[in-house]
Amino acid sequence: MEHPCQRCGSAVEDSSPFCPGCEAPQIRFSEHEPSLDAVVVGSATVAPAPVRVEDGYSGPQPPTGLKLRPALPSALNAGAIAAVLSALPLGAGFIFALPLAGFLCVLFYRRRSSAEEPSPGAGFRLGAVAGSFGFVFFVILMAGEMVGFHAQNEPRDAVIQAVHQAQARAADPQARQMLDYFLTPPGMVFIMIFGFIFMGITFVLLSGVGGAISAALLRRKPPPA
């Protein structure tokens, strides 16, 4: 077979390295596409490496920082529920109401931010924020109830009764004398402040525990590899 010379255009046989007319070297390049077929080496057959195609898994994303926009309304709603349940005359019902509020706070957050899976640590923080809001709402509810029912002296009467009961159980005269301090105005103020601090910590911790449990239980597991 023949081919034209690149310089003068004369016909040159494919086996000839030079053009007979202008003696230009005949250098030809051929394109070669890689083959995906199996390659035979000796007596072994080497198959082409498989190409892995990632599936479109859209499961839970790795835990990141909490987003303020879905976290704030979730904590407010859960805190309001905690305050209402704690204000009901159910004795120690707040022990169950506060973890429930933390649980609901994480649930609300997951619904508002469906692409994110909060970790148990993030769930604890969500529950703690809900407990903080719940404590504020609870104090407002109690203050409104005392003003509305003219029961401003009920906390003071409850403190006095508790001190008298403690004095009745105390056999040491010196201990009963020390308890008399809490019947004075400074003692009353101290008990009120201590009670508010203790109640606030209880709201935060119990709600945080409920949030951590909720995040651990509701967290979806990725599919097996």
Side-chain angles (χ1 to χ4, degrees):
M1 296 181 65
E2 297 180 348
H3 65 271
C5 175
Q6 293 89 345
R7 178 183 293 180
C8 64
S10 301
V12 183
E13 293 185 1
D14 292 342
S15 60
S16 177
F18 298 96
C19 175
C22 63
E23 297 185 353
Q26 304 298 302
I27 302 175
R28 300 181 63 193
F29 298 93
S30 61
E31 296 183 357
H32 177 71
E33 296 183 357
S35 175
L36 296 180
D37 298 335
V39 180
V40 179
V41 180
S43 59
T45 302
V46 180
V51 179
R52 182 179 180 182
V53 180
E54 296 291 339
D55 55 0
Y57 173 63
S58 59
Q61 302 296 323
T64 57
L66 295 176
K67 299 177 182 179
L68 182 61
R69 178 170 295 181
L72 187 59
S74 301
L76 285 171
N77 293 335
I81 294 174
V84 172
L85 294 179
S86 300
L88 296 177
L90 300 177
F94 70 94
I95 297 178
F96 304 99
L98 299 181
L100 176 62
F103 189 96
L104 293 176
C105 182
V106 174
L107 184 62
F108 296 157
Y109 180 82
R110 284 166 51 90
R111 290 184 177 179
R112 293 175 181 271
S113 179
S114 57
E116 183 178 351
E117 291 288 336
S119 63
F124 181 87
R125 293 194 295 271
L126 280 170
V129 175
S132 301
F133 285 128
F135 174 68
V136 174
F137 294 151
F138 177 78
V139 172
I140 295 174
L141 287 176
M142 291 295 97
E145 182 179 353
M146 287 189 295
V147 172
F149 292 96
H150 304 284
Q152 293 88 339
N153 293 328
E154 283 189 2
R156 176 177 175 274
D157 295 339
V159 170
I160 293 175
Q161 183 179 0
V163 171
H164 287 163
Q165 291 176 355
Q167 286 179 333
R169 290 192 299 265
D172 188 2
Q174 187 174 1
R176 288 197 295 266
Q177 186 176 0
M178 292 177 60
L179 289 172
D180 287 336
Y181 168 76
F182 296 108
L183 298 177
T184 63
M188 291 282 185
V189 173
F190 174 81
I191 291 179
M192 291 293 182
I193 294 176
F194 178 80
F196 273 109
I197 294 175
F198 177 79
M199 186 176 297
I201 294 175
T202 303
F203 266 75
V204 171
L205 291 181
L206 290 182
S207 298
V209 170
I213 295 175
S214 176
L217 294 179
L218 299 179
R219 196 174 183 183
R220 293 190 295 266
K221 296 182 179 180

